[in-house]
Every structure is written in structure tokens, then in C-alpha cells.
Amino acid sequence: MRAINASIGFDRALWRQDIRGSLAHAAMLTHVGIITREDEAAIRRGLDAIAARIEAGEFPWDEGLEDIHMNIEARLTEAVGEAGKRLHTARSRNDQVALDLRLWVRDAIDGLSEQVRDAMRALAARAEEHAGTVMPGFTHLQPAQPVTLGHHLLAYVEMLGRDLGRLRDCRARLDENPLGAAALAGTGFPIDRHMTARALGFEGGPMRNSLDAVASRDFAAEFLFCCAMCATHLSRFAEEVVVWTNPYFGFVRLSDAFTTGSSIMPQKRNPDAAELVRGKTGRVTGALVGLLTVLKGLPLAYFKDMQEDKEGVFDAAASLALSLAAVAGMARDMRPDAARLEAAAGAGFATATDLADWLVRELRVPFRDAHHVTGRLVARAEAKGVDLAGLALNEMRAEEPRITEAVFGVLTVAASVASRTSFGGTAPENVRRMAAEWREKLA
Ligand code: ARG
């Protein structure tokens, strides 16, 4: 029973929040006259001493006392006597743990949001630096159209920007106080839940339904979704780093700071940090699915099943924090090989769309026909073993007699990206402007 029941092995991570909640509760109990000023002073003194002991790593955690709440309360009572025993008036561990986890998630959101911003700053800075560096754009991982590296990196900045917004929304929604719901039904004591809500910085005031307050963990599930989505974005970037650093691509190089060698193969530079970012996404998504599964069959109100909410939340937040740091670090560290990127950008007939667009624009050929003519020209070039610019004008005219010398002007990679000036397009001038906007926004 002790082994399955105890949560102190992991919920001690809530100690700051637990003490913060108890201090607010004690102050409120005093304010409304349920305990005396002397009791409150003793509680405050006792909790301060406990915080110091935990901080110093000297707190005697006791598995027999189940969880963080009982561990702290038992030591408090040991230290200050009667007053410690009065602290739990008009409170239950059910509202206490709901409060602690809410406060913990709120703090975690603040920390992670700052890290997301840092990763965005790192990516946006590299994007600005490489606004004009061309690279292949892919669909199906096949050469599609040239893009700029800056544009590619800013795509991740946009994704992370939405992740940041999701964390902000999640924070706003969870910012309500469950304390004072007591076990499930509220209490007959004349408590002031608005006062504790203010003291604990809950913008949304007290939760309006005591059953909901102790039974709901949607705030934790929503937080886990925010983490899983962000981890998924980081994982896609990490996968690109794995591909890009592969010598057959050779698009970017990572320093020894973010790669490892092999114990047997002396030439190896393995992108372990990127692989781990990709791998950790599994844990974060697992935590989300795990919590939803814990909750799905629970009638109201509290069940011990809910004790299973914490490890996934702690682990997801820690995994995401590591991943964000790794991505920010790799973004700053990576050295793109501009020559190689440019060569790759032009390969695979990547400017075929530019040729088709030229036929539409200059010769007023309907796009579907232009697509067809260009396809034939690609086939000719392929047979000849050259790229589109390697075809002679008369070869082009064999497919479309009205083609002129001017067509060669749109077949270069530089011309291709420079032409993509539509809003949100990859043209270097667009990328420079967007990267500068992000830099200012994130400053
Ligand atoms: N350790 C418990 C949890 O994490 C705290 C709440 C316990 N409440 C109870 N009625 N046993 O959920």
C-alpha cells in the first residue's frame, strides 16, 4: 500500500507552490478570524524554516507521510505545535493539490515561454543573416522550388510564435483559484476565496464550482498539448538538422558542441542533440495521451487516479525545456554551407515553375499548357543530361516556337527567389523585413 500510495517521490517538486498556498490560506484564515495572529505568525515562521531546509537539501522526506502536503504539515506541526494543526481548517488535500499543480503549471508556462522566445530570437537572427542565402525548397523531400534559408528558418519562428500564443491562452484559462473548494462541496467556515485568489495572483478570481475545482485537470491537459505541439515543431526542425548535416546533403555543419563521435568509427559526427529533441517529443506526447486517458473515466469529484497527473506534467515540461535550449543552441551554432546550398537549390529542375510562369506571363500561354510545355522541356534536358538553362534556344523553340532568349533570365536560382515577392513569399527583401520585424518584437 505504501509503495503504490506514496507520491512524495515526485510531488516534492510542488513544495514551493504548497508553501505559497499555505501562507495565503493562513493569512486568509487569520483575516476572517478563524485562527489567531499568533497562530499565523507561528505557521509563517515554521513554513519559512521548512522552505530553508528543503532549499538546503536537509528536509527529512518521509514516504510514510504519502505526499508533499502531509510531509510539510507534519514537520510544521512538529516545529510549531497546535498552530500547525489548525492550518488545514477549511481546506482539503483535494483543493490543496489542485492549487499546487495550477501554480506549478503557471510558473512552468512563464519559464517555458521565455525559452520559446529565446529559440525564436536565435532562429530569427540566423534568418536575417541568411535572408539571401538560397537553398532547395522541398515537397515530398523532392526538389520543388528554390527558397531562402532565412525564409525556411522563419517558418519555424512563426510556428513557435503560435506555440507562445497557445501557452499564453492556456495560462489565462488556468488562472483561477481552486483553493477553498475544500474536499468537494465547499465549507461552512466564513472563508474569503477572493482574498486567497488575490494573494496568489489569480486574475480570474476563485473557481465558481467546488466540484469542478477539485475534479478538473483540463488545465494540465491543455498545458501538455501546448508542450506536445511545441515539441512537435522542434522535432520537425531537429529532423531537418539530421538531414541537413548528413554529408550527402551537407547543407549545414554543427560544431562539436552539438555532435558526438563514435567509440569505434573515428570519422563520425552524429547530430545527437537533434536526435534527442526529436526523440523527446515521444515523451511529451505520451504525457498528453496519458493524462487524457487517466481522466476519461472519472466521475466527479476527486479520485486518487489524479495523483497520476503529475509525473507526466513535470517530465513534459523538463523535456521541452531541454529541447528548446538544444534548438536555440543548434540554431546559433550551425554553419550553413552557402555554396553547397546554392548548387543544391538549382538541381532537380527547381526553376521549372519559373519557366512555366514565364510562358504564361510573356506569351499568354494558359497555365495548364505552359505546365505541359515545361514538362517536355524538362524531359529534353534530362535526356541530354543538362539543367533547363543548358538547353539551347532552338531546342526550346522545338516545343514552343515563340520562346525568346529572355527566358534564360528566369531560370537562375537567384532570379527565382527574387521574383517571389508576394506577401509571405521567399524573396530576400520579404525575408529581411520579416526577420527584422521578429527581431524587434522579441527584443
Ligand atoms: N497526493 C494526492 C494527489 O496527488 C493529494 C490529494 C490527496 N487527496 C486525497 N483525498 N487522498 O492527488
Side-chain angles (χ1 to χ4, degrees):
M1 180 58 189
R2 181 175 289 196
I4 195 171
N5 199 38
S7 55
I8 189 62
F10 50 87
D11 69 11
R12 64 179 74 171
L14 297 173
W15 70 268
R16 286 175 204 283
Q17 290 76 17
D18 198 72
I19 288 176
R20 216 180 140 197
S22 289
L23 288 171
H25 186 63
M28 182 277 291
L29 291 177
T30 311
H31 182 77
V32 301
I34 295 172
I35 63 173
T36 64
R37 299 219 158 273
E38 293 68 43
D39 286 336
E40 191 203 348
I43 289 169
R44 192 166 289 278
R45 189 170 9 93
L47 289 175
D48 286 348
I50 287 171
R53 283 185 83 184
I54 298 176
E55 199 96 68
E58 287 163 5
F59 189 83
W61 301 108
D62 181 353
E63 196 184 76
L65 292 169
E66 257 189 71
D67 57 23
I68 182 66
H69 325 294
M70 310 267 265
N71 266 266
I72 290 180
E73 192 186 317
R75 296 300 158 210
L76 177 67
T77 300
E78 241 173 54
V80 307
E82 285 274 295
K85 289 197 254 176
R86 293 188 203 282
L87 172 61
H88 211 54
T89 315
R91 183 176 80 168
S92 151
R93 274 188 296 156
N94 296 349
D95 57 339
Q96 193 177 355
V97 73
L99 169 69
D100 291 4
L101 191 61
R102 247 170 223 270
L103 290 173
W104 193 94
V105 169
R106 199 175 66 178
D107 291 343
I109 288 175
D110 293 342
L112 288 169
S113 297
E114 193 38 56
Q115 279 198 272
V116 174
R117 271 190 290 274
D118 185 57
M120 291 170 74
R121 268 193 289 272
L123 289 162
R126 298 315 299 273
E128 198 163 13
E129 183 187 334
H130 289 283
T133 305
V134 291
M135 69 173 284
F138 297 96
T139 60
H140 311 265
L141 201 59
Q142 304 292 321
Q145 295 174 350
V147 294
T148 61
L149 178 57
H151 197 52
H152 196 114
L153 295 176
L154 284 185
Y156 286 104
V157 176
E158 295 286 338
M159 293 177 223
L160 292 175
R162 288 192 297 276
D163 293 334
L164 202 53
R166 265 186 285 273
L167 284 168
R168 198 186 310 121
D169 294 346
C170 175
R171 190 191 197 287
R173 217 175 341 268
L174 70 70
D175 211 13
E176 295 185 319
N177 185 18
L179 187 64
L184 75 164
T187 173
F189 289 103
I191 59 171
D192 184 349
R193 296 188 60 209
H194 292 274
M195 181 181 170
T196 49
R198 270 193 309 277
L200 295 166
F202 284 114
E203 294 278 335
M207 290 183 77
R208 288 186 301 265
N209 182 299
S210 60
L211 288 166
D212 176 44
V214 295
S216 294
R217 294 292 182 273
D218 53 302
F219 72 89
E222 185 176 1
F223 170 66
L224 287 174
F225 173 73
C226 296
C227 291
M229 195 65 253
C230 184
T232 299
H233 288 147
L234 300 180
S235 183
R236 294 181 74 170
F237 176 74
E239 166 67 6
E240 306 230 61
V241 170
V242 170
V243 172
W244 291 357
T245 54
N246 176 296
Y248 296 113
F249 276 77
F251 287 1
V252 303
R253 208 178 147 86
L254 284 174
S255 78
D256 291 348
F258 288 93
T259 56
T260 62
S262 154
S263 54
I264 179 169
M265 299 166 282
Q267 85 287 7
K268 288 288 253 179
R269 296 175 65 79
N270 298 324
D272 292 36
E275 292 165 39
L276 284 162
V277 168
R278 196 175 54 183
K280 283 187 186 296
T281 309
R283 306 167 67 122
V284 182
T285 303
L288 169 63
V289 177
L291 179 57
L292 290 172
T293 309
V294 164
L295 295 175
K296 73 170 278 292
L298 296 184
L300 303 186
Y302 177 85
F303 286 88
K304 205 59 173 276
D305 307 47
M306 287 176 169
Q307 186 163 284
E308 294 294 319
D309 59 3
K310 291 171 204 60
E311 285 165 288
V313 167
F314 298 157
D315 186 74
S319 300
L320 183 60
L322 278 171
S323 298
L324 284 163
V327 164
M330 286 189 288
R332 293 190 170 104
D333 181 84
M334 69 184 191
R335 269 180 306 132
D337 184 336
R340 197 142 172 139
L341 284 165
E342 183 170 7
F349 310 102
T351 54
T353 314
D354 299 271
L355 173 51
D357 288 350
W358 186 87
L359 295 173
V360 170
R361 213 170 39 243
E362 302 299 323
L363 307 181
R364 311 209 41 88
V365 177
F367 182 76
R368 283 294 165 210
D369 297 338
H371 185 282
H372 184 72
V373 170
T374 307
R376 306 256 293 253
L377 289 170
V378 167
R380 272 176 184 265
E382 208 163 19
K384 228 183 133 186
V386 295
D387 57 21
L388 284 169
L391 290 174
L393 185 57
N394 60 4
E395 290 170 293
M396 294 219 188
R397 285 183 168 158
E399 299 295 346
E400 168 50 67
R402 291 172 295 163
I403 293 182
T404 66
E405 194 70 44
V407 77
F408 291 98
V410 300
L411 295 181
T412 67
V413 165
S416 175
V417 295
S419 74
R420 301 289 196 272
T421 52
S422 57
F423 185 84
T426 196
E429 54 180 287
N430 279 3
V431 175
R432 231 163 260 128
R433 194 178 49 247
M434 288 310 284
E437 265 180 38
W438 277 117
R439 171 164 43 73
E440 278 156 33
K441 216 183 295 183
L442 293 164

